[in-house]
Amino acid sequence: MHDAPLLNINGLEAFYGDVQVLWGVSLEVNPGEIVAVIGPNGAGKSTLLGCIMGLVKSRSSGSGPAVLYQGEALDGQKPEEVVAGGIALVPEGARVFPEMTCLDNLLLGAYLNKDRQQRQEVLEQVLGMFPRLKERVNQPAKTMSGGERQMLAIGRALMSRPDFLLLDEPSLGLHPLMTSTIFEGIQSINQQGLTVLLVEQKVTFALKMSDRGYVLEQGRVKLSASGEELMHDSYVKEAYLAV
Amino acid sequence: MSMLIIQSLINGILMGGIYALYSAGFSLIFGVMGVVNIAHGDLLMLGAFITFWMFIGLGLDPFLTLPFSVAGLFVLGYLMQRLAINRVVGAPPIMSYILTFGMHLMISNLALVAWTADPRAVTTAYSGANLAFLGLTLPWIKLITFLISLGVIGLLYWLLNHSQTGRAIQATAQDREMARLTGIKVDRIYALTFGLGAAITGLAGSMVVAFQDVEPGMGLPYTIIAFCVVVLGGMGYIPGALIGGLILGIVGSVSTMLFTSGWSIAITFFLLYLMLLFRPAGITGKGIVE
Amino acid sequence: MPVKRTGFFIGLLVAVLFALLPFAGESYYIQLLTVIFYWIGLAACWNLMCGYTGYIDFGSAAYTGIGAYVAGIIMVRSGLPLLTTIPLAGLGAGVIALAVGWPTLRLRGAYFAIATFALAEALMQVAEEWTGLTEGGIGITIPQRLEEFDYYWLYLFLAALVVAITWWVEHHKHGYALKAIHEDEHAAAQVGINTHTIKLKTYVTSAFFIGMLGALEGSRLGYFKPDDVFDVHITIKMVIMSLLGGMGTVLGPVIGATFLQLIEDYLGAQFLNFYLVIIGAIIVCVIIFLPRGIVGSTIERLRLKFRRQP
């Protein structure tokens, strides 16, 4: 399982204008893992994903590139190039294309794949994984419920057949039942070989299914350990699992 | 008298097809990029001149010039967007008004300098051929241009809704950043969209030679008509351009028959104003409202 | 703030120097400057409203037209002297601006632009058709005219006044409110700014001065028809001059109007037909390379230069 890491982040620093939001963040994701990044609002979790996807300008506090994917630097790449390289992002709030139908959203996920047949096959797979979407196929996405939109966003990301999936708070604003469905979906995708990096606020769920986790606070990595260890860590329990 | 009105109505509808066609291009450009193209009518003028020069210079039947007009304006539009308009896509709208206005000045006055202000007519052997129907006169050429307009609008609508490129265009219009996250090269989509809008406008221009003489200053009034059409039909809504175009064609034709042109223009503009005030999303209610 | 006050006094000094010029100057330059001051005045009016709020008005020519016709009709019908009709023209323009602005300022962006344009065009057609009032397409001859130097001084005075008002607005609460509306109107309203009133006040003030300038110009022309004074190209020149110079700055319209009018004067003489092509090219280049206008870009560059911090 531990060949070279799929994703390597070294001393990542990121800015919004003049304001620094990430300070020397380092982490890695190995092939086939589910890695969680947890932390409070404003910690910089979304920014982290943004840096990987090329949406946010990043640089390294050390020498060399800040973000390495499969050994190659992602620094300075445009989002459309990163996506073409096999990484897909499910952004915060799903961000489905509101005026397009559920089906069109999914088809668009496979934009980079010119092979019609393959597209159809992946479509069948995705609809099989999320039967709810099948029912809503011709509905405009804006009329779908929050949970359905989240499923749609994940399905859309899967349509590009990525090797690496990033999820930004997939459980945000969702009913607990819906949340389990989503997480079960993520686990099953992972079992089929997809590496996952998950940014979450629902700490219990995230840590339960993750192989490893990082705690990000105020733009810095505070803790890093296996999912199990983090769940029983006293700091994490007090700060995030307060009963 | 009623025959006159019906004839006027028919003329209006036939002209309305053209209005709808190039206004659809205008609407598409605004809907996807938020750019109000004040040089839009000049693209139409260029299409008309392509047809004229090929007709006079090469002896080509005007209908055979259509593909050249489409191709030529597509390339021009693509380049205009890529080289200049792309810079103002994210910027405040006024930048695009002024930029496209500057382009309007350049294009229309270059045409004026190159080709002089003399109106040019395109008349073929069959120009006067009419279809007589129930006492009405339907010029064949205008009938054919109308059918072509409808066909192309339908094609555009189909393209936007049933092809990956069309979906990409829609996605870019709805959420630009997310579109990039699905691998769409947004800059290329913008250029493609503008090229498409320019191409169908060039087509409309080539067909306009059946309705009027060609001269370099003919563009601006058509741009203004495009504004009216998309306000009526809804900004950024393609089927709305069809509705708006037909209505405007009819209104224009009938009102010039009934009133002096000054009052009918005043009334049209005032109605346009009221429309913006009370129903900015257009008759269909599907327009983009800020 | 010492720097700003100095700026104001320098401006005042410059204006006074220009006022003294006719006693020394050559007639051609006085003529040219008269036209330049006219356009500085108009551009500054446009900038006062639109440069700061970001609302794009394409119907300003309505007020040059209203001004010209109100003054003209009053003079023809009642024989009142020219100088009395000027403020009346401004008043007329202001009142109509109040009526127009009230509903129209609810619109935003492209819709506001198209709406103002549509109204101005409609108004022009009405002026054309309502021959009983305006003589329509026949045109109206203005019975009174001032001396050349009088126009020079009046335009200089009005232009300086509008620029001074802009300066005052920029440095006081009113200006902050306008800029806040530009940034985020919704938020501005929530903070307690009465956006509708402020917009309306600015719009009406702008129209008032545009009306007076239009009235003066009408008398200077001596004879005009509706499409001379309601011409959309007047509005377009105002917009471009503000943009070229820098929207939302005090000196922007001054620089922009001077620059464009000088170019027009030079090119118009040299290149006749071609000159509009060149103007178009200049506009395109400025938008692409100097999007904040001449003044705006300079301010931006200076700001960056003096901000070198580790």
Side-chain angles (χ1 to χ4, degrees):
Chain A
M1 155 125 151
H2 290 290
D3 345 40
L6 192 63
L7 179 76
N8 222 313
I9 294 186
N10 298 307
L12 175 63
E13 297 189 328
F15 296 81
Y16 277 129
D18 288 337
V19 182
Q20 185 158 5
V21 270
L22 292 178
W23 306 76
V25 170
S26 295
L27 63 84
E28 54 184 47
V29 180
N30 298 305
E33 281 190 316
I34 297 183
V35 172
V37 175
I38 62 175
N41 255 333
K45 310 192 297 295
S46 292
T47 312
L48 177 62
L49 296 183
C51 288
I52 300 173
M53 294 307 292
L55 292 170
V56 180
K57 272 220 173 85
S58 54
R59 64 164 197 232
S60 177
S61 61
S63 61
V67 184
L68 280 165
Y69 178 68
Q70 292 179 333
E72 278 180 38
L74 286 187
D75 294 43
Q77 277 194 26
K78 294 189 220 165
E80 45 273 29
E81 293 167 342
V82 176
V83 172
I87 309 181
L89 171 69
V90 181
E92 190 179 332
R95 282 176 86 170
V96 295
F97 297 109
E99 310 291 333
M100 294 168 68
T101 62
C102 171
L103 179 63
D104 282 343
N105 267 277
L106 290 172
L107 289 174
L108 203 51
Y111 179 74
L112 291 173
N113 189 354
K114 307 289 177 188
D115 186 334
R116 256 222 187 133
Q117 178 136 350
Q118 226 175 52
R119 217 159 60 199
Q120 196 58 33
E121 283 169 14
V122 186
L123 182 62
E124 305 284 327
Q125 281 173 19
V126 169
L127 290 177
M129 189 179 330
F130 294 118
R132 271 289 265 289
L133 293 182
K134 216 172 192 166
E135 296 163 34
R136 305 258 178 272
V137 148
N138 285 314
Q139 254 181 263
K142 65 183 176 184
T143 62
M144 293 166 69
S145 76
E148 290 164 351
R149 272 183 268 143
Q150 195 61 48
M151 278 193 273
L152 177 55
I154 297 176
R156 180 181 58 186
L158 292 175
M159 288 291 293
S160 65
R161 292 156 86 241
D163 300 312
F164 188 26
L165 186 64
L166 310 179
L167 294 119
D168 196 346
E169 306 217 23
S171 72
L172 193 63
L174 291 191
H175 189 269
L177 279 178
M178 188 58 76
T179 313
S180 346
T181 318
I182 301 277
F183 280 138
E184 273 158 30
I186 296 172
Q187 275 177 312
S188 85
I189 304 168
N190 172 248
Q191 270 149 27
Q192 289 165 38
L194 185 57
T195 313
V196 174
L197 177 60
L198 175 66
V199 151
E200 250 306 333
Q201 272 196 55
K202 288 225 174 78
V203 175
T204 331
F205 269 125
L207 292 180
K208 238 193 239 174
M209 63 185 229
S210 309
D211 296 309
R212 287 185 306 111
Y214 294 83
V215 176
L216 194 68
E217 283 181 4
Q218 291 183 319
R220 291 177 174 83
V221 174
K222 192 169 170 66
L223 276 179
S224 141
S226 76
E228 276 290 318
E229 288 165 4
L230 283 179
M231 273 210 301
H232 297 110
D233 180 275
S234 53
Y235 174 77
V236 172
K237 272 161 79 169
E238 207 180 302
Y240 298 103
L241 299 173
V243 171
Chain B
M1 178 59 176
S2 60
M3 236 358 179
L4 268 172
I5 295 192
I6 297 183
Q7 180 71 61
S8 178
L9 226 88
I10 304 274
N11 290 341
I13 292 176
L14 295 180
M15 185 79 222
I18 304 260
Y19 286 169
L21 184 60
Y22 78 89
S23 299
F26 185 78
S27 191
L28 181 67
I29 290 171
F30 180 78
V32 174
M33 289 179 262
V35 166
V36 173
N37 184 17
I38 297 185
H40 204 72
D42 300 300
L43 298 174
L44 184 131
M45 178 270 292
L46 288 177
F49 264 105
I50 289 179
T51 294
F52 172 74
W53 287 118
M54 296 190 96
F55 173 66
I56 293 289
L58 301 174
L60 267 181
D61 179 278
F63 281 109
L64 293 178
T65 66
L66 297 184
F68 295 99
S69 180
V70 169
L73 265 302
F74 178 82
V75 170
L76 178 64
Y78 193 95
L79 289 175
M80 271 170 77
Q81 206 286 337
R82 212 61 210 264
L83 297 175
I85 297 179
N86 206 28
R87 314 267 187 141
V88 302
V89 171
I94 188 179
M95 306 293 270
S96 73
Y97 305 157
I98 304 300
L99 179 62
T100 54
F101 177 74
M103 290 174 155
H104 153 70
L105 280 183
M106 289 177 74
I107 298 176
S108 60
N109 285 289
L110 272 171
L112 192 59
V113 169
W115 300 323
T116 80
D118 296 335
R120 280 25 186 250
V122 173
T123 27
T124 57
Y126 53 86
S127 283
N130 297 315
L131 173 66
F133 183 72
L134 296 179
L136 299 165
T137 322
L138 306 171
W140 270 115
I141 298 186
K142 294 190 183 181
L143 216 52
I144 296 176
T145 62
F146 181 71
L147 293 173
I148 295 178
S149 297
L150 286 186
V152 172
I153 292 178
L155 197 63
L156 179 68
Y157 188 69
W158 184 90
L159 180 81
L160 286 174
N161 287 296
H162 292 102
S163 72
Q164 284 290 68
T165 309
R167 285 184 207 112
I169 292 177
Q170 285 191 62
T172 308
Q174 289 171 35
D175 190 340
R176 179 197 154 112
E177 196 178 70
M178 191 65 226
R180 300 180 80 185
L181 290 170
T182 54
I184 295 172
K185 293 203 178 101
V186 157
D187 286 337
R188 215 177 269 188
I189 292 287
Y190 283 150
L192 180 69
T193 308
F194 201 90
L196 208 57
I200 63 182
T201 304
L203 178 64
S206 290
M207 298 198 291
V208 145
V209 305
F211 293 83
Q212 67 163 86
D213 293 344
V214 181
E215 42 103 10
M218 67 192 274
L220 200 55
Y222 278 98
T223 306
I224 295 176
I225 292 172
F227 275 120
C228 300
V229 169
V230 301
V231 167
L232 267 178
M235 283 278 215
Y237 182 56
I238 303 296
L242 182 57
I243 298 173
L246 290 175
I247 293 179
L248 217 62
I250 294 173
V251 165
S253 182
V254 172
S255 71
T256 10
M257 201 192 81
L258 297 175
F259 312 116
T260 65
S261 62
W263 280 120
S264 72
I265 295 178
I267 294 173
T268 310
F269 275 123
F270 191 65
L271 288 176
L272 181 69
Y273 170 71
L274 290 177
M275 192 85 202
L276 284 166
L277 217 45
F278 297 116
R279 208 175 159 81
I283 293 180
T284 59
K286 296 231 175 123
I288 300 173
V289 187
E290 307 194 17
Chain C
M1 297 260 108
V3 177
K4 292 171 192 166
R5 271 282 148 79
T6 327
F8 180 76
F9 284 116
I10 292 180
L12 198 59
L13 187 64
V14 169
V16 168
L17 284 176
F18 271 112
L20 297 173
L21 202 60
F23 300 115
E26 229 192 75
S27 173
Y28 172 71
Y29 291 114
I30 299 302
Q31 275 263 354
L32 182 58
L33 281 171
T34 308
V35 175
I36 290 180
F37 292 146
Y38 172 68
W39 284 106
I40 291 179
L42 283 183
C45 287
W46 193 89
N47 180 53
L48 178 64
M49 171 68 202
C50 305
Y52 288 94
T53 59
Y55 275 67
I56 308 310
D57 187 342
F58 272 132
S60 306
Y63 301 113
T64 47
I66 291 172
Y69 270 102
V70 165
I73 293 171
I74 292 180
M75 267 189 278
V76 167
R77 299 274 171 104
S78 71
L80 277 174
L82 175 55
L83 286 176
T84 322
T85 63
I86 302 298
L88 289 175
L91 216 62
V95 165
I96 296 188
L98 189 62
V100 165
W102 196 289
T104 316
L105 285 166
R106 285 200 280 128
L107 298 172
R108 305 285 177 84
Y111 295 116
F112 178 76
I114 299 175
T116 49
F117 169 74
L119 271 188
E121 288 295 303
L123 198 57
M124 174 164 81
Q125 295 300 331
V126 168
E128 245 340 288
E129 298 291 327
W130 196 349
T131 47
L133 184 67
T134 63
E135 305 294 331
I138 301 175
I140 176 174
T141 314
I142 307 300
Q144 271 185 65
R145 198 177 192 278
L146 301 169
E147 303 294 323
E148 283 309 318
F149 282 9
D150 294 328
Y151 285 110
Y152 177 88
W153 280 313
L154 279 168
Y155 283 155
L156 171 58
F157 172 67
L158 284 173
L161 188 55
V162 180
V163 172
I165 292 176
T166 311
W167 179 90
W168 183 87
V169 162
E170 162 104 29
H171 294 115
H172 288 82
K173 219 169 61 171
H174 195 106
Y176 298 143
L178 292 178
K179 288 185 207 172
I181 291 175
H182 192 170
E183 292 267 331
D184 187 342
E185 184 155 355
H186 195 68
Q190 298 208 306
V191 178
I193 296 176
N194 193 334
T195 56
H196 192 78
T197 314
I198 293 224
K199 283 187 290 183
L200 200 54
K201 273 193 203 169
T202 319
Y203 183 71
V204 170
T205 308
S206 173
F208 173 69
F209 283 101
I210 295 177
M212 290 201 287
L213 286 164
L216 275 171
E217 187 66 2
S219 74
R220 195 176 81 96
L221 291 171
Y223 160 81
F224 55 84
K225 296 182 262 119
D227 57 18
D228 294 320
V229 291
F230 282 105
D231 192 355
V232 68
H233 289 96
I234 296 176
T235 312
I236 291 173
K237 267 179 92 167
M238 288 160 73
V239 175
I240 294 178
M241 287 169 172
S242 294
L243 196 101
L244 239 53
M247 279 170 63
T249 64
V250 176
L251 287 179
V254 179
I255 306 285
T258 310
F259 182 63
L260 197 68
Q261 200 51 47
L262 284 175
I263 291 185
E264 221 185 81
D265 203 69
Y266 176 71
L267 288 179
Q270 304 281 36
F271 293 108
L272 217 59
N273 286 324
F274 211 58
Y275 101 94
L276 281 175
V277 177
I278 299 180
I279 300 264
I282 292 178
I283 292 172
V284 169
C285 286
V286 169
I287 294 287
I288 294 181
F289 299 115
L290 285 178
R292 300 192 103 101
I294 299 173
V295 174
S297 298
T298 317
I299 292 180
E300 186 80 3
R301 214 171 296 155
L302 288 174
R303 201 177 285 165
L304 285 175
K305 216 170 161 203
F306 290 113
R307 217 163 148 266
R308 289 282 177 214
Q309 272 151 31

